[in-house]
């Protein structure tokens, strides 16, 4: 058999993939029914994303188009809605600088923006009537492809996640007035990769959430967060599903890898399993492999479960795993963020009853089809995930990591022993909810 044609086809296919991956993307969208700003693409309320239209409003969400008039063509017209709406654009894998122009010349507005699977990007951006603001943030887009035909082994639930599709999706919440949007592929960002389980992953549906989808809120451009975590995973299954291979394939020198495992690892009961055996060996392997490509690993201890002892304080339910992570960090001279300690302080500060408001504890009928209460002491709701993301940011600052200079300038001094009041913290819920508990416990 002559293999030359097959090899040629394979080489061409790989070349096309590489070209696609490095493809320049630069979209400029002008929203509304008025005259179009120069070099912008007009987006009308009826512009709908589809196989033939590679950008537009998505998931049957509706907006109102308004033409206010004025000399500035970009802000003279806009789209509005007091309900969540989605806008998508087909883009290849990479990091994207997103610039939104928000405001309305005749009315006040307030906007929260989430990307992909509910990653918080902008929070409560308020504009007065006649006021316009421009905000920029970075969104990472990933796909399953690795190299040599290998792909990430996704779980069935991941196949429909926005994080793994072939487009960039933005969700606009509150009372959004959107005038302009720019999407530009950029190569100059430091990428922070997240490896972890259900306490880290971007949870797709309300009321579940994790710190990995909230931490994006606290970085300015210069940092891209690439969340490769997934519910139910251990260090071993993360590696076995080729997620570490994927990260090593696309990471560049100077990028970071945050590693948080333990909840599921402690359930492994093989002869060589345990905190000071397979867990320690695998953690060291993650560190060494990422260092080989010039990356900077960071070890994060597992979040505490909400479990109070007779003394009214949070008790350790993770055995030796947090201690093992600390020992690996010390032995390998790796930065450590002790999230286990900080989350215990957070729960203790809230107290046994109030701490339920940081996790998925909801009375029956809080969500469609929910005829029974939800009571989960491992998985966070948006408030809890937001507070824990602040703990991670505190750990970055305390460890004096290089990426600390990219933390937003208005990040408040945070103390896990003095968390935000859960009764005053507000979150605009996304349209989709699920009663299915994430894998892992």
């Amino acid at each position: 058999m002559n293999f030359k044609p097959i090899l040629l086809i394979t080489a061409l296919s790989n070349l096309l993939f590489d070209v696609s991956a490095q493809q320049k993307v630069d979209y400029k969208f002008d929203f509304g029914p008025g005259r179009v700003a120069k070099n912008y693409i007009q987006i009308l309320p009826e512009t709908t994303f589809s196989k033939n239209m590679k950008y537009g409003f998505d998931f049957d969400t509706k907006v109102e188009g308004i033409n206010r008039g004025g000399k500035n063509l970009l802000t003279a017209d806009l789209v509005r809605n007091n309900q969540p709406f989605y806008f998508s654009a087909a883009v290849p894998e990479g990091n994207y600088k997103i610039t939104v122009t928000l405001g309305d010349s005749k009315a006040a507005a307030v906007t929260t923006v989430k990307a992909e699977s509910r990653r918080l990007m902008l929070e409560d951006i308020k504009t007065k009537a006649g006021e316009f603001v421009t905000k920029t943030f970075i969104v990472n887009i990933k796909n399953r492809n690795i190299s040599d035909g290998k792909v990430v082994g996704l779980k069935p639930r991941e196949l429909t996640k926005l994080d793994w599709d072939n487009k960039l999706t933005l969700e606009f919440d509150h009372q959004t007035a959107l005038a302009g949007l720019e999407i530009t592929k950029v190569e100059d960002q430091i990428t922070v990769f997240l490896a972890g389980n259900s306490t880290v992953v971007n949870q797709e549906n309300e009321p579940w959430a994790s710190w990995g989808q909230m931490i994006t809120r606290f970085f300015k451009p210069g940092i891209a967060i690439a969340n490769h975590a997934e519910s139910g995973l251990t260090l071993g299954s993360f590696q076995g599903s080729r997620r570490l291979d994927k990260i090593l394939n696309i990471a560049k020198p100077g990028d970071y890898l945050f590693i948080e495992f333990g909840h599921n690892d402690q359930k492994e009961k093989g002869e060589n399993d345990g905190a000071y055996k397979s867990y320690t060996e695998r953690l060291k392997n993650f560190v060494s492999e990422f260092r080989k490509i010039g990356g900077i690993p960071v070890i994060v201890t597992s979040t505490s479960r909400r479990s109070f002892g007779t003394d009214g304080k949070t008790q350790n339910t993770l055995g030796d795993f947090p201690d093992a992570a600390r020992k690996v960090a010390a032995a390998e001279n790796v930065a450590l963020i002790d999230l286990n300690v900080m989350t215990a302080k957070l729960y203790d500060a809230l107290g046994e009853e109030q701490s339920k408001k940081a996790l998925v504890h909801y009375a029956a009928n809080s969500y469609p089809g929910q005829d029974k209460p939800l009571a989960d002491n491992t998985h966070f709701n948006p408030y809890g995930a937001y507070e824990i993301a602040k703990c991670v940011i505190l750990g970055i600052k305390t460890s004096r990591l290089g990426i600390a200079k990219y933390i937003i300038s208005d990040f408040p001094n945070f103390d896990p022993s003095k968390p935000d009041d859960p009764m005053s913290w507000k979150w605009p819920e996304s349209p989709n909810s699920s009663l299915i508990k994430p894998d892992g416990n």
Side-chain angles (χ1 to χ4, degrees), residues 149-192:
K150 293 191 297 183
V151 297
V152 175
L154 300 184
K155 291 187 173 187
R157 81 173 208 129
E158 295 179 273
L159 298 174
T160 56
K161 285 189 69 173
L162 299 183
D163 271 355
W164 287 106
D165 62 13
N166 59 355
K167 59 187 177 183
L168 186 159
T169 299
L170 299 174
E171 174 187 332
F172 296 88
D173 296 307
H174 285 314
Q175 298 87 41
T176 297
L178 176 62
L181 169 65
E182 299 180 26
I183 302 173
T184 305
K185 195 168 188 288
V186 289
E187 308 293 342
D188 58 349
Q189 304 296 295
I190 297 170
T191 302
V192 178

Side-chain angles (χ1 to χ4, degrees), residues 222-255:
I223 296 295
I225 303 294
N227 195 343
H228 287 253
E230 174 52 30
S231 297
L233 295 185
T234 64
L235 281 163
S237 56
F238 188 95
Q239 189 165 8
S241 55
R242 297 176 292 280
R243 296 169 200 263
L244 181 59
D245 289 342
K246 172 65 179 181
I247 292 171
L248 296 174
N249 183 249
I250 58 177
K252 63 186 184 301
D255 286 345

Side-chain angles (χ1 to χ4, degrees), residues 47-73:
T47 306
T48 303
F49 183 90
S50 67
K51 290 182 179 179
N52 297 323
M53 179 61 74
K54 298 303 181 183
Y55 47 79
F57 297 105
D58 213 346
F59 309 114
D60 297 320
T61 51
K62 307 299 181 184
V63 294
E64 177 189 6
I66 303 172
N67 184 11
R68 300 292 195 194
K71 293 182 179 180
N72 187 327
L73 296 184

